[in-house]
Amino acid sequence: MDAVYTAPGYLFRRMQQIAVAIFVEECKAYDLTPVQYASLVSIRTHPGIDATRLSAVIAFDRSTLGSVIERLEAKAYIERKPSPGDKRTKLLYLTRSGAALLRDIIPSVERAQARILQPLKPADRKTLMALLTQLVDLNNEASRVPLRAEDALEHLGKSG
Amino acid sequence: MDAVYTAPGYLFRRMQQIAVAIFVEECKAYDLTPVQYASLVSIRTHPGIDATRLSAVIAFDRSTLGSVIERLEAKAYIERKPSPGDKRTKLLYLTRSGAALLRDIIPSVERAQARILQPLKPADRKTLMALLTQLVDLNNEASRVPLRAEDALEHLGKSG
DNA sequence: TCTCGATTGACAGCATACTTACAATATGGA
DNA sequence: TCCATATTGTAAGTATGCTGTCAATCGAGA
């Protein structure tokens, strides 16, 4: 591993940084980070989810997510309500303002996601995304916080 | 962008986290992070480089790199010497101990890099790496700290 | 019912990443 | 030579991302 440039780990780090830079640039009018955006989307999909389950649903670290939620609450995009059944957990809900933000920001997010892959030919974009999706899925257990979307939903009301 | 799971940005973030987790696991005997490793490798390749040029050579943020260098110096893997020509810059060199560490850690790093791609079929690994390399290169200017390997070397002694 | 083990949110501590700012120093042009 | 401008390292402030730990709470089994 003489030069670092050909190592997959190095390239994934670079791509992550590029993806974040593009996201932030496209969404700068909204002052929302990629992590905050993903959290909002998942809270909208699963209203009343708690922080631990949210961390499993988006595969983000539980400790980190705590401060992300704090910031989202400070910006009044979500609110935390005590759980009736379990005094330990706090349930997460989008506020009206959070729902509105999500509606407004989506075009910018889509533009960002498109820009990330834009330099490749359309066929190559498809190929890369297919392989990337596969690789993330197959390596799920290797990450510190594996994705547990299904399991997490088991414990919710799970109407849908 | 209803579900976050299909967004390239989300997938690159996940892969980066997976790659770091695998690196750390394989290299835990050495207590070295991926960023610290990349810095050491580049300092070995370019002895006497300064921090600003190093940041361009590996495309890491200049501010962040400051503390990375501090930690590497604290561990005695590198040393900083004042530049004879320029009182502002400090030149970076591997110590004997840093060079030894690099020699020892390389098998673990190679194992980590192989493990990252292992779940894919060999042909798919090649395809993914080719597309990823292309995409990083074509998006170079989009990142906050574009790679400037060539330019950076211009200003050095540049024996090789 | 009581107790032990697990879960939850919170916190401390470390390591990237990025922004802005600043003092010391260099450099090029008037 | 002098001065406006740029560069370098550093620092402060914010945001992930991870490791621990802890108290409060929960749940299951004796």
Side-chain angles (χ1 to χ4, degrees), chain A residues 1-12 14, chain B residues 38 41-42 45-46 53-54 56-59 129 132-133 136 147-150 152-153:
Chain A
M1 211 54 67
D2 228 59
V4 111
Y5 307 114
T6 60
Y10 176 79
L11 292 170
F12 283 124
R14 291 271 289 134
Chain B
V41 167
S42 293
T45 305
H46 309 296
R53 243 150 297 283
L54 179 60
V57 161
I58 51 184
M129 285 300 290
L132 185 57
T133 303
V136 166
L147 187 67
R148 301 263 186 249
E150 310 313 317
L153 294 183

Side-chain angles (χ1 to χ4, degrees), chain A residues 17-34 105 107-109 111-113 115-116, chain B residues 139-145:
Chain A
Q17 290 176 352
I18 287 165
V20 170
I22 291 175
F23 182 104
V24 168
E25 191 180 320
E26 290 292 344
C27 300
K28 62 173 173 292
Y30 301 96
D31 187 34
L32 204 70
T33 67
I105 203 179
S108 301
V109 172
R111 211 161 31 240
Q113 300 308 308
R115 261 188 65 194
I116 293 171
Chain B
N139 269 325
N140 189 39
E141 295 307 318
S143 74
R144 291 347 244 122
V145 186

Side-chain angles (χ1 to χ4, degrees), chain B residues 13 17 52-53 62-63 80 88-90:
Chain B
R13 175 181 301 271
Q17 290 177 352
T52 294
R53 243 150 297 283
R62 206 164 60 99
S63 295
R80 273 189 284 197
R88 294 169 305 176
T89 69
K90 299 177 183 176

Side-chain angles (χ1 to χ4, degrees), chain A residues 136-148, chain B residues 14 18:
Chain A
V136 165
D137 183 52
L138 294 171
N139 268 325
N140 189 38
E141 296 307 318
S143 74
R144 289 349 244 118
V145 185
L147 187 67
R148 300 263 187 248
Chain B
R14 291 270 289 133
I18 287 165

